[in-house]
Amino acid sequence: MKDNKIIIFDTTLRDGEQALGTSLNINQKLQIALALENLGVDVIEAGFPVSSQGDFKAVQNIALNVKNSTVCALCRALDKDIDAAYEALKVASHFRIHTFIATSNLHIQDKLKKDFNEILAMATKAITRARSYTDDVEFSCEDAGRTPIDNLCFMVENAIKAGAKTINIPDTVGYTLPGEFANIIKTLFNRVPNIDKAVISVHCHNDLGMATGNSLSAILEGARQIEGTINGLGERAGNCALEEVIMAIKIRKDYLKGFYTDIKCENIAKTSKLVAAITNESIPTHKAIVGSNAFSHSSGIHQDGVLKNRETYEIINPKSIGFYDNRMLMTARSGRAMIKACLENLGYHENTYDLDDVYENFLKLADKKGQVYDYDLEALMFLSYENAQEHELKLEKLNVISGSIPTACVCLNMQGELKTESCTGNGPIEAVFNCIVRITALECVLKAYSINAKSSGVDAQGQVDVDLEFQGRKFHGKGLSTDVIEASAQAFINAYNAIYRSLKVQERKMA
Ligand code: KIV
Ligand code: ZN
């Protein structure tokens, strides 16, 4: 009898990261990987090593540090991709190579400009090469959801013969509907003679909002691995939100009889918040399982029902996924152990930050604010990641005058040299921006600006997010301070530093 464990394969750091405006740094990626390991995911897809040196190093760093989950890397069906994946992964205690090629007519003809037989040969060659490095090889038929079923069956049989131990069936563009997707999986089980030699996996995108439904329908037909991301992060409308599949399996045991995952569900809330904080992708308030409203009841009838019996309107106990009401409260009298414990509670692993540095900044903030909350600590973590990076620009001094002629004077440290400019603007924030543009002489267009209070009191920190466009690309910046003008200046500088980093990468590529 088939084992009913559902393998959870997380691709937040690969498919999820692909969708972000800017890439995460090596330390942020490790932080997420360690949180995923703590959540109990079986496989962590850490990146696409051949795509850049940064991605290679990030995968290698995760492979070195993650012990309990299998670390996986993606590669096209090309020798150089597979070799790069192996080189990045070989330090891991257990690793998986994941290779893929498109199988739909549209992708084969219009994107790859090949025919099905050539694709078949490339898949065999890639799987054989990957198997020379490890037994744990996964093969994906990209755009399987739109692949003629005869071709898909043939490709799957061929890939298993070549040695793939996991066969992934992606609905790459989120095109299929649950009954239809279930039928694809059912047909594979009925028609592929060697199907019992591999684990069948599914990887659903959410373009029609079907990713979770499609994944669950596939389980009922024999799929035993689900791929997705935390908070459903991913290309376009995102990937399957893993927390939804995991909780559906847990809560609907009556329907999904016998199926289980090894996920530590009590860590779901903190993992979700950590991913949102690090990727800067906020969670919609009404998002299933992890949205801030997912367990709120506003209508009188509902409130009355919940007070009488929680189960009248609540199918999940928020505590079971780690949602607690208490906001941790810290002051300048709190010790380092307390800060470390609070960070642990928020999902931050001590290997990935410098406690001395965070504690020093915590004390400064506590002196300014009196009380420091968990979201303030998240802000400090963001700043400590920032400080760990090399910077072209640093804010030295800032002065603004608002009123009928808003004016700013900004002094920046540019690699040790101090440069000062004064400018006017439509408001003090634009005046600050104009000063930075003048000092750097890099013409950027401000595409988006938003400001959010990180708590409700008068002492709240303001978080400013900006998107700058430079040479056709968008660069995101974030700034945090109890002073919103300073937070704005920090956000602009943060985005400019990302631009300088990308210019350096371009220079290196040209050299
Ligand atoms: O959506 C997709 O097809 C993918 C594959 C590379 C697995 O992400
Ligand atoms: Zn995908």
Side-chain angles (χ1 to χ4, degrees), residues 143-159:
D143 206 17
R146 293 187 297 174
T147 298
I149 194 69
D150 289 347
N151 285 1
L152 191 64
C153 289
F154 200 57
M155 177 59 96
V156 169
E157 183 182 350
N158 174 74

PDB file of all heavy atoms in Angstrom, residues 143-159:
ATOM      1  N   ASP A 143       5.027  23.133 -17.805  1.00  0.00           N
ATOM      2  CA  ASP A 143       3.752  23.342 -18.523  1.00  0.00           C
ATOM      3  C   ASP A 143       3.019  22.023 -18.776  1.00  0.00           C
ATOM      4  O   ASP A 143       2.305  21.865 -19.780  1.00  0.00           O
ATOM      5  CB  ASP A 143       3.977  24.102 -19.836  1.00  0.00           C
ATOM      6  CG  ASP A 143       2.717  24.874 -20.264  1.00  0.00           C
ATOM      7  OD1 ASP A 143       1.818  25.083 -19.414  1.00  0.00           O
ATOM      8  OD2 ASP A 143       2.617  25.256 -21.438  1.00  0.00           O
ATOM      9  N   ALA A 144       3.179  21.094 -17.818  1.00  0.00           N
ATOM     10  CA  ALA A 144       2.495  19.794 -17.941  1.00  0.00           C
ATOM     11  C   ALA A 144       0.983  19.982 -18.061  1.00  0.00           C
ATOM     12  O   ALA A 144       0.305  19.219 -18.758  1.00  0.00           O
ATOM     13  CB  ALA A 144       2.819  18.927 -16.731  1.00  0.00           C
ATOM     14  N   GLY A 145       0.457  20.997 -17.403  1.00  0.00           N
ATOM     15  CA  GLY A 145      -0.996  21.247 -17.421  1.00  0.00           C
ATOM     16  C   GLY A 145      -1.531  21.439 -18.834  1.00  0.00           C
ATOM     17  O   GLY A 145      -2.720  21.202 -19.082  1.00  0.00           O
ATOM     18  N   ARG A 146      -0.675  21.885 -19.781  1.00  0.00           N
ATOM     19  CA  ARG A 146      -1.131  22.088 -21.160  1.00  0.00           C
ATOM     20  C   ARG A 146      -0.420  21.141 -22.137  1.00  0.00           C
ATOM     21  O   ARG A 146      -0.332  21.418 -23.329  1.00  0.00           O
ATOM     22  CB  ARG A 146      -0.901  23.551 -21.569  1.00  0.00           C
ATOM     23  CG  ARG A 146      -1.791  24.521 -20.795  1.00  0.00           C
ATOM     24  CD  ARG A 146      -1.678  25.931 -21.317  1.00  0.00           C
ATOM     25  NE  ARG A 146      -0.337  26.463 -21.166  1.00  0.00           N
ATOM     26  CZ  ARG A 146       0.059  27.637 -21.653  1.00  0.00           C
ATOM     27  NH1 ARG A 146      -0.806  28.392 -22.313  1.00  0.00           N
ATOM     28  NH2 ARG A 146       1.288  28.070 -21.457  1.00  0.00           N
ATOM     29  N   THR A 147       0.118  20.047 -21.601  1.00  0.00           N
ATOM     30  CA  THR A 147       0.829  19.083 -22.456  1.00  0.00           C
ATOM     31  C   THR A 147      -0.144  17.999 -22.915  1.00  0.00           C
ATOM     32  O   THR A 147      -0.899  17.468 -22.090  1.00  0.00           O
ATOM     33  CB  THR A 147       1.995  18.455 -21.650  1.00  0.00           C
ATOM     34  OG1 THR A 147       2.906  19.489 -21.296  1.00  0.00           O
ATOM     35  CG2 THR A 147       2.727  17.390 -22.451  1.00  0.00           C
ATOM     36  N   PRO A 148      -0.128  17.638 -24.222  1.00  0.00           N
ATOM     37  CA  PRO A 148      -0.996  16.537 -24.671  1.00  0.00           C
ATOM     38  C   PRO A 148      -0.727  15.300 -23.811  1.00  0.00           C
ATOM     39  O   PRO A 148       0.438  14.947 -23.578  1.00  0.00           O
ATOM     40  CB  PRO A 148      -0.583  16.322 -26.127  1.00  0.00           C
ATOM     41  CG  PRO A 148       0.053  17.620 -26.544  1.00  0.00           C
ATOM     42  CD  PRO A 148       0.677  18.208 -25.311  1.00  0.00           C
ATOM     43  N   ILE A 149      -1.789  14.649 -23.365  1.00  0.00           N
ATOM     44  CA  ILE A 149      -1.627  13.593 -22.350  1.00  0.00           C
ATOM     45  C   ILE A 149      -0.758  12.428 -22.843  1.00  0.00           C
ATOM     46  O   ILE A 149       0.016  11.862 -22.065  1.00  0.00           O
ATOM     47  CB  ILE A 149      -3.008  13.128 -21.815  1.00  0.00           C
ATOM     48  CG1 ILE A 149      -2.845  12.301 -20.548  1.00  0.00           C
ATOM     49  CG2 ILE A 149      -3.835  12.424 -22.868  1.00  0.00           C
ATOM     50  CD1 ILE A 149      -2.387  13.063 -19.345  1.00  0.00           C
ATOM     51  N   ASP A 150      -0.842  12.104 -24.145  1.00  0.00           N
ATOM     52  CA  ASP A 150       0.006  10.999 -24.641  1.00  0.00           C
ATOM     53  C   ASP A 150       1.491  11.352 -24.491  1.00  0.00           C
ATOM     54  O   ASP A 150       2.299  10.523 -24.053  1.00  0.00           O
ATOM     55  CB  ASP A 150      -0.272  10.726 -26.134  1.00  0.00           C
ATOM     56  CG  ASP A 150      -1.636  10.085 -26.330  1.00  0.00           C
ATOM     57  OD1 ASP A 150      -2.228   9.648 -25.324  1.00  0.00           O
ATOM     58  OD2 ASP A 150      -2.099  10.059 -27.489  1.00  0.00           O
ATOM     59  N   ASN A 151       1.828  12.578 -24.833  1.00  0.00           N
ATOM     60  CA  ASN A 151       3.228  13.025 -24.702  1.00  0.00           C
ATOM     61  C   ASN A 151       3.656  13.025 -23.238  1.00  0.00           C
ATOM     62  O   ASN A 151       4.788  12.650 -22.905  1.00  0.00           O
ATOM     63  CB  ASN A 151       3.401  14.442 -25.264  1.00  0.00           C
ATOM     64  CG  ASN A 151       3.392  14.447 -26.786  1.00  0.00           C
ATOM     65  OD1 ASN A 151       3.242  13.405 -27.392  1.00  0.00           O
ATOM     66  ND2 ASN A 151       3.547  15.614 -27.383  1.00  0.00           N
ATOM     67  N   LEU A 152       2.746  13.491 -22.388  1.00  0.00           N
ATOM     68  CA  LEU A 152       3.104  13.566 -20.957  1.00  0.00           C
ATOM     69  C   LEU A 152       3.376  12.162 -20.412  1.00  0.00           C
ATOM     70  O   LEU A 152       4.385  11.938 -19.718  1.00  0.00           O
ATOM     71  CB  LEU A 152       1.966  14.256 -20.177  1.00  0.00           C
ATOM     72  CG  LEU A 152       2.307  14.625 -18.743  1.00  0.00           C
ATOM     73  CD1 LEU A 152       3.439  15.660 -18.684  1.00  0.00           C
ATOM     74  CD2 LEU A 152       1.080  15.187 -18.000  1.00  0.00           C
ATOM     75  N   CYS A 153       2.511  11.206 -20.756  1.00  0.00           N
ATOM     76  CA  CYS A 153       2.711   9.828 -20.273  1.00  0.00           C
ATOM     77  C   CYS A 153       4.056   9.286 -20.774  1.00  0.00           C
ATOM     78  O   CYS A 153       4.816   8.669 -20.016  1.00  0.00           O
ATOM     79  CB  CYS A 153       1.587   8.914 -20.783  1.00  0.00           C
ATOM     80  SG  CYS A 153       0.013   9.233 -19.984  1.00  0.00           S
ATOM     81  N   PHE A 154       4.341   9.550 -22.023  1.00  0.00           N
ATOM     82  CA  PHE A 154       5.571   9.048 -22.627  1.00  0.00           C
ATOM     83  C   PHE A 154       6.798   9.661 -21.941  1.00  0.00           C
ATOM     84  O   PHE A 154       7.768   8.970 -21.613  1.00  0.00           O
ATOM     85  CB  PHE A 154       5.546   9.384 -24.131  1.00  0.00           C
ATOM     86  CG  PHE A 154       6.474   8.540 -24.928  1.00  0.00           C
ATOM     87  CD1 PHE A 154       6.393   7.144 -24.915  1.00  0.00           C
ATOM     88  CD2 PHE A 154       7.467   9.127 -25.705  1.00  0.00           C
ATOM     89  CE1 PHE A 154       7.274   6.363 -25.647  1.00  0.00           C
ATOM     90  CE2 PHE A 154       8.350   8.358 -26.437  1.00  0.00           C
ATOM     91  CZ  PHE A 154       8.258   6.969 -26.409  1.00  0.00           C
ATOM     92  N   MET A 155       6.741  10.966 -21.735  1.00  0.00           N
ATOM     93  CA  MET A 155       7.859  11.679 -21.091  1.00  0.00           C
ATOM     94  C   MET A 155       8.077  11.162 -19.665  1.00  0.00           C
ATOM     95  O   MET A 155       9.217  10.929 -19.235  1.00  0.00           O
ATOM     96  CB  MET A 155       7.571  13.187 -21.084  1.00  0.00           C
ATOM     97  CG  MET A 155       8.610  14.007 -20.389  1.00  0.00           C
ATOM     98  SD  MET A 155      10.248  13.819 -21.139  1.00  0.00           S
ATOM     99  CE  MET A 155      10.299  15.211 -22.221  1.00  0.00           C
ATOM    100  N   VAL A 156       6.988  10.971 -18.918  1.00  0.00           N
ATOM    101  CA  VAL A 156       7.111  10.516 -17.526  1.00  0.00           C
ATOM    102  C   VAL A 156       7.734   9.112 -17.489  1.00  0.00           C
ATOM    103  O   VAL A 156       8.670   8.848 -16.718  1.00  0.00           O
ATOM    104  CB  VAL A 156       5.725  10.560 -16.818  1.00  0.00           C
ATOM    105  CG1 VAL A 156       5.766   9.847 -15.476  1.00  0.00           C
ATOM    106  CG2 VAL A 156       5.277  12.014 -16.638  1.00  0.00           C
ATOM    107  N   GLU A 157       7.265   8.235 -18.366  1.00  0.00           N
ATOM    108  CA  GLU A 157       7.820   6.870 -18.406  1.00  0.00           C
ATOM    109  C   GLU A 157       9.322   6.923 -18.715  1.00  0.00           C
ATOM    110  O   GLU A 157      10.144   6.263 -18.061  1.00  0.00           O
ATOM    111  CB  GLU A 157       7.081   6.058 -19.482  1.00  0.00           C
ATOM    112  CG  GLU A 157       7.559   4.612 -19.511  1.00  0.00           C
ATOM    113  CD  GLU A 157       6.870   3.791 -20.609  1.00  0.00           C
ATOM    114  OE1 GLU A 157       5.887   4.277 -21.218  1.00  0.00           O
ATOM    115  OE2 GLU A 157       7.340   2.660 -20.845  1.00  0.00           O
ATOM    116  N   ASN A 158       9.655   7.751 -19.676  1.00  0.00           N
ATOM    117  CA  ASN A 158      11.048   7.909 -20.103  1.00  0.00           C
ATOM    118  C   ASN A 158      11.917   8.465 -18.964  1.00  0.00           C
ATOM    119  O   ASN A 158      13.030   7.992 -18.719  1.00  0.00           O
ATOM    120  CB  ASN A 158      11.019   8.872 -21.300  1.00  0.00           C
ATOM    121  CG  ASN A 158      12.396   9.248 -21.777  1.00  0.00           C
ATOM    122  OD1 ASN A 158      13.055   8.446 -22.397  1.00  0.00           O
ATOM    123  ND2 ASN A 158      12.834  10.460 -21.466  1.00  0.00           N
ATOM    124  N   ALA A 159      11.404   9.461 -18.243  1.00  0.00           N
ATOM    125  CA  ALA A 159      12.175  10.096 -17.161  1.00  0.00           C
ATOM    126  C   ALA A 159      12.400   9.114 -16.010  1.00  0.00           C
ATOM    127  O   ALA A 159      13.472   9.090 -15.401  1.00  0.00           O
ATOM    128  CB  ALA A 159      11.437  11.346 -16.674  1.00  0.00           C
TER     129      ALA A 159
END
